[in-house]
Amino acid sequence: MRIKKVLNVGVALKFVESKGVKLVGIGAEEIVDHNLKMILGMIWTLILRFQIQDISEEELSAKEALLLWYQKKTKGYKNVNVQDFHRSFQDGLAWCAVIHKHRPDLIDFDSLNPSDSMGNLKLAFEIADKHLDVPQILDPADIVDTAKPDERSIITYCSALYHVFAKGQQAEQAAKNLANALDIQMQIAALKDEYARRAKALLEWTHAASASLAERNFPNSVEGVQTKISEFKAWKKDEKAPKGNEKTEVEALFNNIQTKLRLNKRAAYVPPAGLHPSDIDSAWSSLGKAENDRGVALRQELRRQRYLASLVASFKLQAGSLSNWVAVKTKLLQSDTLGNTVDSVNAALRNLEAFHEDYSAQSSKLTVLADLSNKLAEGKSADADSVASELSSLQSSWDSLKPMYESRKAALEAQLEKLQAIQAMLVDFAKKALAFARFAEDSTQTLGEPVLVDSIEELAALETRLAEIADSVAQRQGDVADLESLASKLHDAGVEETTYSEYSIGDIKQHHSTVDAAVAERKKVLAAEHAKQLQNEELRKKWASEAAAFSEWCNGREAAIKDRSANPGSSEVELKATLTNIEAFRAELHSNQSKFDAISHLAQQLEDAEITENKHSTLTFENLKLQWDALFALQANSQKIIENEILLKAHSGVTDEQLAEFKSAFAHFDKDNSGHLNRLEFKSCLQSLGEELKDPEIEALMNEYGLLIEENGATTRQLPFNSFVAYMIKKHSNTDNAQAIVESFATIAGGKEFVTANDLRSVLPNDKVDYLLAHMPKHASVEDGYDYKSYAATLYA
């Protein structure tokens, strides 16, 4: 019977040896004969091989890696100081700390009593058995009641917990990878929301502004329209200009989104319908047209109001003159004096005849006044009603003259039977004096009209009219001489020239002097206006030329900045070169400040000259200032985007804390301070960082990252520090791609083809879980499952 037992045990031992386990000093006989010491040694060898060796192939290195792992996990916990695998675990706090580190929901560490070693150990073992599937292979009493607990037993239990939490660390790393990708996605989503919100608000303002600019209900006065023009200028400066900056910022935000999507391998952003930058440009162009149309409409309305004002002034001047004439004639016709001599009666009749002729001549002025009144009414002038009322009153006075004329004529004709004809000479004087006086008064009135012109062409018409009047004045010099001669003869005969005439020779000379002075003054006024219009025309041409050149320069700089920003490159070297170019643009803008200052000075000259129209150019100072400010905003936004991308390139995705952890672990296992790790040290170092790799994987990494080092006559492959850090950075940073995201989801899901809300909430913050559940499609075959593969595919272009 014993022989069969020995044979059976021998078969088992051969199988164990086939797995690479070296059994020294023990055979089947020792086991069959119940050699307890040898059996316990064999059990430890098996535990070392299958439970601990995957930490390291050598016991010393395994202990160090496991000890370092526990030291890192319990760092910062009060009353916990892991220095060995016996007394450091005797009070149970170290195991409670490790469990709390990974599962704080299972243990309230702060409530533990450091003096209650038995209670702490029981709590740790029970929780590990119930919630972590780690069997209770140790008895708390064996640990508490022993001066130095068995090191191998402690290591065995420590390794069991290590393996449980090492797998959990993989899920934690997967969650970190997924959280990083979600941070990028949520950041871009926030930028998209901001763009859509700002683009919508800008478009709504643009459409509303365009509609407001289309309104044409202008005030019915020069002052009111001038107020509207001032409000329009203020709107362009105080409201439109900031919106122009907003437009530039919204376009920069759109470009920033596209750049981030491209650099993070995401699909290009397509804004909601109607919110694309091209839609904004189109609306902005329509706004520019509406703005230009309103400016033209306001200028036209101002000219119209000024024209109506000139009509009112002309009406007042002519109506006053005619009203005075009517008043004088009314007094004349109402006179009771008929004359005591034939001469005086004839004089009165001839005077009345002269009145009738003058009456007919003056009637044309009523037609002129009626025409002015109609024009004011048609132009809806604010003075149209008062003018019509004044005209009606004048017309009534005018109509009353004829009956008075008829009455006086009848009386004089009756008196004429008694009197003889009045000297023809007096009549002749009266006629000629009256004709000259009318000519002089009309000419003086015309020459006194205000000069309202906006161009050389309009001024030329006034100059032509002045020349015509001046020629007429020169031609009538002979009429004055004739009247002077006639008056002299009348005086010689003892008769005053005013017997039949309302004008004396002195009045005629005064009229002649007045019209001569009016011609001279008119020439001065038109000459000054001519010089002013020439100067204004030169300013208009200068503005057209310099404004066009400045606008073209701004467009060129804008295109250059956009062209350089559109292709910044992908490497850090290319991005820094692009940043240098973009920064140079700002220096260039500052160096060309004089261009803008010159344009600003020229615009002020135009405003001082009250030049409101320019047929040579449609560019305004507000447009050019907006272009200039937009250049600085574009350069600043482009620079900020490139700087952000350089910053993004500079950070590999590995935190400073992680780098410090890598360096600390390397230094711990670099026992000889050589700056290199051999294969076993490298494996132990990775295990201390929670990385579990098989021997073939370790070998492949040593071949990829290691160097051949000659030491003590032998050549071995060793891993230098910089290569170790490079591997760890690559391991922890290359997680922002579809495959890495799928692997992270798979880890969190425990290898399932789908992930549940509970899976996600066990490792991710609630805000990220809520975001995922709102955007991830449901899995086709599981009711509460989500298809993470399809979702990951949509994240990357």
Side-chain angles (χ1 to χ4, degrees), residues 266-421:
R266 264 68 167 184
Y269 172 46
V270 179
L275 297 183
H276 194 273
S278 61
D279 298 316
I280 297 176
D281 288 338
S282 177
W284 198 259
S285 177
S286 298
L287 177 62
K289 184 178 183 306
E291 176 188 349
N292 185 69
D293 291 346
R294 185 169 181 83
V296 171
L298 283 171
R299 291 192 293 272
Q300 290 176 345
E301 180 63 16
L302 181 60
R303 293 190 64 187
R304 191 181 78 85
Q305 290 294 338
R306 284 176 172 173
Y307 169 70
L308 292 176
S310 71
L311 293 181
V312 172
S314 180
F315 178 89
K316 294 292 184 182
L317 183 64
Q318 296 186 54
S321 176
L322 186 58
S323 180
N324 291 335
W325 183 89
V326 170
V328 171
K329 297 309 177 185
T330 299
K331 183 177 181 181
L332 173 66
L333 294 174
Q334 290 177 342
S335 173
D336 295 331
T337 303
L338 298 176
N340 296 319
T341 64
V342 172
D343 289 341
S344 63
V345 174
N346 280 330
L349 283 170
R350 290 190 180 103
N351 197 22
L352 189 62
E353 183 182 354
F355 158 76
H356 188 264
E357 291 178 0
D358 196 16
Y359 178 83
S360 299
Q362 293 288 346
S363 64
S364 63
K365 292 187 176 182
L366 278 174
T367 303
V368 172
L369 291 173
D371 182 57
L372 289 174
S373 178
N374 291 335
K375 288 181 178 179
L376 289 171
E378 291 171 0
K380 298 180 180 180
S381 169
D383 298 310
D385 291 341
S386 65
V387 166
S389 176
E390 185 175 350
L391 177 61
S392 176
S393 176
L394 183 58
Q395 182 69 52
S396 297
S397 298
W398 176 267
D399 292 341
S400 68
L401 289 177
K402 192 166 186 179
M404 287 189 289
Y405 161 76
E406 295 292 345
S407 176
R408 184 167 178 78
K409 182 178 180 183
L412 286 173
E413 286 177 345
Q415 185 70 8
L416 187 59
E417 294 177 1
K418 301 177 183 180
L419 303 174
Q420 296 298 318

Side-chain angles (χ1 to χ4, degrees), residues 665-677:
F666 185 94
H668 181 85
F669 288 96
D670 182 18
K671 300 297 185 181
D672 56 1
N673 294 321
S674 64
H676 298 82
L677 298 180

Side-chain angles (χ1 to χ4, degrees), residues 648-690:
L648 181 63
K649 287 290 183 181
H651 289 76
S652 60
V654 177
T655 64
D656 293 339
E657 292 77 7
Q658 286 178 304
L659 285 174
E661 185 179 15
F662 300 159
K663 293 176 182 178
S664 174
F666 185 94
H668 181 85
F669 288 96
D670 182 18
K671 300 297 185 181
D672 56 1
N673 294 321
S674 64
H676 298 82
L677 298 180
N678 61 31
R679 185 175 62 84
L680 297 179
E681 291 171 338
F682 178 42
K683 182 177 181 181
S684 298
C685 185
L686 290 180
Q687 289 292 345
S688 72
L689 294 171

Side-chain angles (χ1 to χ4, degrees), residues 725-750:
V725 172
Y727 163 71
M728 295 304 295
I729 289 177
K730 180 179 179 182
K731 173 76 174 177
H732 287 267
S733 64
N734 189 23
T735 60
D736 190 14
N737 56 71
Q739 181 60 35
I741 294 301
V742 168
E743 291 175 358
S744 296
F745 270 119
T747 300
I748 294 171

